[in-house]
Amino acid sequence: MAAETHLVDVGALFAVAAVAGLLASRIDQSVIPFYIVAGMLSGPYVLGTVDIPALLGIDVLPHGETLALDGQSEFIHLGAELGIVFLLFFLGLEFNLERLLAARHRIGKAGSVDLAVNFGAGLLLGFVLFESLLAALLVAGVVYISSSAIITKSLIDLGWIANDEANPMLGTLVYEDLFIAIYLAVVSALVLGGGDVGEALGSIGVAIGFILALLILVQFGTAWFQRSLETDSNEFLVLRALGILVLIAGAALALGVSEAVAAFFVGMAFSATDHVHDLEQLLEPVRDVFAAIFFFWIGLETNPQLFAGVAGLIAVAVIVTTPTKLLSGYLGGRIYDLDERRSLRVGLGMTTRGEFSLIIASIAVAGAGGAIAEPVATRIYAFTVGYVLVMSILGTTFMQYADRIEAVLVPRLEARSGAVSSGD
């Protein structure tokens, strides 16, 4: 159960996040790693272990753990969930159903390549590292799924959202999110239900049924969504949009379906209305505030002390899975008939892992001592947190410095393509 949140904790969260954002902008870096590191430094695993007021001889401030922020506090935990919801909602606004259906063959091909390369590599890696089929299945999910939240935020911040490379990236994210909705239902039942296949099939049925219901709502509910936002008041427009979005996302979560997937479909539904521009203008600051809380929360939940015991595993995973994502992303770009430069950008942008990987790690911990041995679950959790932190920083850095990387690699890719064409 989430802990109580005091107003001063919320104020401290926003103040620290604001300083982190200011620092990132001053040195022209992505804010995402700064939010994560700021959260880590403010959490119980760093600030909670150092009695700064005692060191400074200040008695009026709380000491030790009471000074640190708690990622499980009600406001922060709920704010982080809303951050995922808003980020995926905006992704849906940019990707309406007609566009999705028109690109379904390319999405299918690019998504299948991404799945085969990265999930396959994850299965092999997980089995080698943990010598367990269930652990391998968990690791496969951790290293396969890119971070929709971080990638969407980076696309918007860098102005790539309207570029050609955004199409294969968003299409592959849709494929991954749909796959992971079913995957989460399966692994939750296997890990938490002690390997009950019948319960897994039931969870899959619920997830598929909910997603189909959302698809029908998006396809045939445009007139209703249009009428629901017909008002001259910005206040009422925001309230109505939030009411629909958060209610549907909450219902999905209550049924064991990803709230991110639900938010994506709600965004697609609103994308077919005449209110897209108003929603983007009015909700953008709300999205950015809760997205900051989400990335800050990742840091709060991260115990850097756990990294020491799994540093080697993290290094191996980064070395193995960074090239696989670069390769599958590049091939995805080529499937969309993009040139070498934009295809490389797709690969660079897809390397980030984030929220879903952490959810999978949480499932492993929740099932510790049952279907999965407690030491293995603990190591998977520590491995995942460290891996996500490294990949989130690496992925956003790749996107930030894409121009410099392209200057080195694109001429070689073009020369290779020319050589292959000449050979043909």
Side-chain angles (χ1 to χ4, degrees):
M1 181 180 291
E4 181 182 359
T5 307
H6 297 288
L7 189 59
V8 70
D9 294 335
V10 179
L13 181 157
F14 284 125
V16 174
V19 171
L22 177 64
L23 182 60
S25 65
R26 286 287 177 86
I27 58 176
D28 195 26
Q29 294 293 311
S30 169
V31 296
I32 295 168
F34 282 76
Y35 287 149
I36 295 174
V37 173
M40 195 187 306
L41 296 176
S42 306
Y45 304 112
V46 177
L47 185 60
T49 60
V50 182
D51 199 343
I52 294 178
L55 293 174
L56 298 176
I58 303 173
D59 293 329
V60 294
L61 292 177
H63 288 241
E65 290 186 2
T66 55
L67 186 63
L69 296 174
D70 183 359
Q72 290 303 311
S73 68
E74 188 176 2
F75 176 84
I76 298 174
H77 193 263
L78 187 59
E81 287 190 338
L82 286 172
I84 298 174
V85 167
F86 280 113
L87 286 168
L88 270 294
F89 172 72
F90 269 72
L91 182 63
L93 283 180
E94 297 286 342
F95 214 93
N96 63 49
L97 187 59
E98 289 184 3
R99 185 178 166 190
L100 180 70
L101 293 176
R104 62 185 182 280
H105 295 302
R106 285 177 168 174
I107 291 174
K109 289 180 182 176
S112 296
V113 169
D114 175 55
L115 176 65
V117 172
N118 294 291
F119 198 86
L123 270 178
L124 291 174
L125 182 68
F127 196 78
V128 170
L129 295 181
F130 295 99
E131 299 179 345
S132 159
L133 191 56
L134 186 54
L137 188 63
L138 291 166
V139 172
V142 167
V143 304
Y144 159 64
I145 186 77
S146 299
S147 172
S148 300
I150 296 176
I151 293 172
T152 305
K153 172 74 171 161
S154 297
L155 283 173
I156 295 168
D157 288 348
L158 295 172
W160 289 14
I161 195 71
N163 294 351
D164 290 341
E165 59 266 29
N167 289 331
M169 293 173 71
L170 298 181
T172 305
L173 289 177
V174 171
Y175 187 104
E176 287 186 352
D177 286 351
L178 293 176
F179 176 85
I180 213 68
I182 298 171
Y183 168 88
L184 287 176
V186 174
V187 295
S188 295
L190 292 176
V191 175
L192 305 179
D196 190 330
V197 177
E199 188 174 341
L201 292 175
S203 299
I204 293 170
V206 171
I208 293 176
F210 195 85
I211 290 171
L212 288 176
L214 287 174
L215 273 173
I216 293 171
L217 187 65
V218 172
Q219 176 67 17
F220 300 105
T222 302
W224 181 84
F225 280 102
Q226 177 72 32
R227 285 196 303 275
S228 70
L229 299 181
E230 293 292 350
T231 174
D232 295 329
S233 167
N234 287 341
E235 176 185 347
F236 293 158
L237 177 66
V238 170
L239 286 174
R240 292 177 188 184
L242 291 184
I244 294 169
L245 169 63
V246 180
L247 267 177
I248 294 179
L253 198 60
L255 290 171
V257 181
S258 165
E259 74 275 32
V261 174
F264 173 79
F265 280 110
V266 175
M268 278 205 303
F270 279 128
S271 73
T273 70
D274 298 330
H275 301 283
V276 176
H277 179 71
D278 292 335
L279 289 173
E280 289 177 339
Q281 290 290 319
L282 295 170
L283 292 180
E284 182 178 317
V286 182
R287 176 203 66 195
D288 289 342
V289 167
F290 284 105
I293 295 176
F294 166 69
F295 296 119
F296 197 88
W297 169 79
I298 290 178
L300 288 177
E301 291 292 284
T302 301
N303 181 359
Q305 294 178 351
L306 294 177
F307 297 162
V310 292
L313 302 183
I314 295 171
V316 170
V318 170
I319 292 170
V320 171
T321 61
T322 300
T324 59
K325 269 293 179 186
L326 286 170
L327 174 63
S328 63
Y330 170 80
L331 293 175
R334 300 300 286 171
I335 289 171
Y336 274 70
D337 296 326
L338 300 184
D339 59 22
E340 303 288 354
R341 185 176 74 85
R342 294 195 184 280
S343 296
L344 178 60
R345 278 196 173 193
V346 177
L348 294 173
M350 294 299 295
T351 54
T352 304
R353 274 73 156 188
E355 64 279 5
F356 283 118
S357 299
L358 295 172
I359 292 171
I360 295 168
S362 300
I363 291 173
V365 171
I372 187 166
E374 188 167 347
V376 174
T378 303
R379 282 173 67 80
I380 289 177
Y381 180 81
F383 158 78
T384 304
V385 172
Y387 175 74
V388 166
L389 181 62
V390 172
M391 296 308 293
S392 65
I393 294 173
L394 191 63
T396 51
T397 303
F398 278 165
M399 295 182 77
Q400 186 82 13
Y401 295 100
D403 290 342
R404 299 182 187 181
I405 299 172
E406 290 162 17
V408 175
L409 295 182
V410 169
R412 299 182 182 184
L413 290 171
E414 289 177 340
R416 178 180 170 277
S417 296
V420 172
S421 299
S422 299
D424 293 339

